[in-house]
């Protein structure tokens, strides 16, 4: 009896001392397209993250676009000047019964460096900033908690500079930006930057069972 009591107490103490809780594998249940929610995230060049989010179970669509600025109907050329205030973003439509907003944020932290201000690699400017545009008070709270947790775990070396700001408007990018990597895998930027990121993502989240069974790349 004492032996079982000691085992129970040891388990209780380990969990109360802040042992990291791993996300559960995603379910294979059918997506409910009538009750989708939205996440709008900026993690540098949208070519780099769009394909990855689209591979996740529970994600209905991923649209590259612009958000966070002042200009209506911005073009890619205008956003690229850094003067519109917009960031390159992806807007994700997802089924929260299959994948949660917190799990999307785990992918978000994995895919970009949240410690570099207005920069991802050689992409420099406000349009490449790290940002979460929350759609609800719940998303705001979960974003703040997720940022603190990721920073505390040291997933990236340094202090996070990710902006957590309310969502206002989303402007879809031009048609040729949608699914850009899939259509242009041999384009120099895609083969040098996007491709390796996708392979790293597929290995990590494939092992967790988060990816759709059939992924076309």
């Amino acid at each position: 009896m004492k032996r079982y009591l000691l085992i129970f107490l040891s388990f209780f103490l380990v969990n109360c001392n802040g042992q990291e809780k791993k996300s559960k594998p995603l379910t294979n249940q059918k997506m409910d397209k009538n009750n989708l929610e939205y996440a709008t995230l900026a993690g540098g060049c949208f070519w780099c993250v769009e394909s990855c989010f689209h591979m996740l179970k529970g994600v209905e669509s991923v649209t590259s676009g612009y958000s966070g600025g002042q200009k209506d109907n911005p073009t890619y050329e205008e956003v690229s000047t850094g003067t519109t205030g917009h960031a390159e973003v992806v807007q994700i439509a997802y089924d929260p019964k299959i994948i949660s907003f917190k799990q999307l944020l785990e992918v978000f932290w994995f895919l970009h460096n949240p410690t570099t201000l207005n920069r991802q690699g050689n992409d420099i400017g406000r349009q490449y900033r790290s940002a979460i545009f929350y759609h609800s008070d719940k998303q705001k709270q979960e974003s703040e908690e997720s940022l603190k947790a990721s920073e505390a775990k040291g997933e990236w070396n340094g202090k996070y500079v990710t902006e957590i700001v309310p969502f206002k408007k989303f402007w879809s990018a031009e048609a040729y930006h949608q699914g850009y990597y899939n259509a242009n895998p041999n384009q120099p930027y895609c083969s040098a930057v996007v491709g390796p990121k996708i392979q790293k993502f597929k290995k990590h989240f494939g092992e967790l069972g988060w990816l759709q069974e059939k992924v076309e790349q």
Side-chain angles (χ1 to χ4, degrees), residues 55-70:
M55 295 180 202
L56 295 169
K57 293 177 183 177
V59 169
E60 162 64 14
S61 64
V62 184
T63 306
S64 291
Y66 317 110
S67 196
Q70 303 82 34

Side-chain angles (χ1 to χ4, degrees), residues 109 143-155 160:
W109 303 127
S143 297
E144 292 170 345
E145 292 172 350
S146 181
L147 185 153
K148 289 178 182 178
S150 179
E151 191 176 52
K153 286 187 292 186
E155 293 180 340
Y160 286 18

Side-chain angles (χ1 to χ4, degrees), residues 15 18 39 61 69 90 97 117 122 137 150 153 165-166 176 194 198:
N15 282 274
S61 64
V90 289
K97 292 182 180 178
L117 184 64
N122 291 324
D137 289 340
S150 179
K153 286 187 292 186
V165 294
Y176 73 90
V194 186
I198 289 175

Side-chain angles (χ1 to χ4, degrees), residues 43-50 76 88 120 123 127-128 189 194:
C45 173
F46 42 36
W47 297 348
C48 294
V49 296
E50 181 200 52
Y76 179 70
E88 290 193 14
Q120 288 298 308
D123 295 326
Q127 66 271 31
Y128 299 116
Y189 183 90
V194 186

Side-chain angles (χ1 to χ4, degrees), residues 87-182:
E88 290 193 14
V89 303
V90 289
Q91 187 161 89
I92 304 160
Y94 66 99
D95 183 346
K97 292 182 180 178
I98 299 177
I99 185 169
S100 69
F101 181 67
K102 284 186 176 181
Q103 288 172 316
L104 290 176
L105 291 180
E106 288 186 46
V107 177
F108 175 66
W109 303 127
F110 183 88
L111 289 178
H112 83 296
N113 185 342
T115 70
T116 53
L117 184 64
N118 301 329
R119 177 174 186 168
Q120 288 298 308
N122 291 324
D123 295 326
I124 302 172
R126 280 282 289 163
Q127 66 271 31
Y128 299 116
R129 65 188 181 272
S130 173
I132 301 169
F133 298 92
Y134 60 83
H135 289 250
S136 65
D137 289 340
K138 181 181 178 183
Q139 282 195 358
K140 177 184 179 183
Q141 180 180 348
E142 291 182 346
S143 297
E144 292 170 345
E145 292 172 350
S146 181
L147 185 153
K148 289 178 182 178
S150 179
E151 191 176 52
K153 286 187 292 186
E155 293 180 340
W156 291 92
N157 185 26
K159 184 174 178 57
Y160 286 18
V161 295
T162 304
E163 298 177 5
I164 299 176
V165 294
F167 172 80
K168 293 182 179 179
K169 286 185 177 181
F170 169 79
W171 306 96
S172 179
E174 294 81 349
Y176 73 90
H177 286 298
Q178 311 304 330
Y180 189 87
Y181 175 79
N182 288 346

Side-chain angles (χ1 to χ4, degrees), residues 190-207:
C190 287
S191 60
V193 179
V194 186
K197 179 172 290 194
I198 289 175
Q199 293 307 312
K200 182 180 177 182
F201 161 83
K202 288 171 67 174
K203 182 178 186 301
H204 181 78
F205 288 97
E207 290 174 352

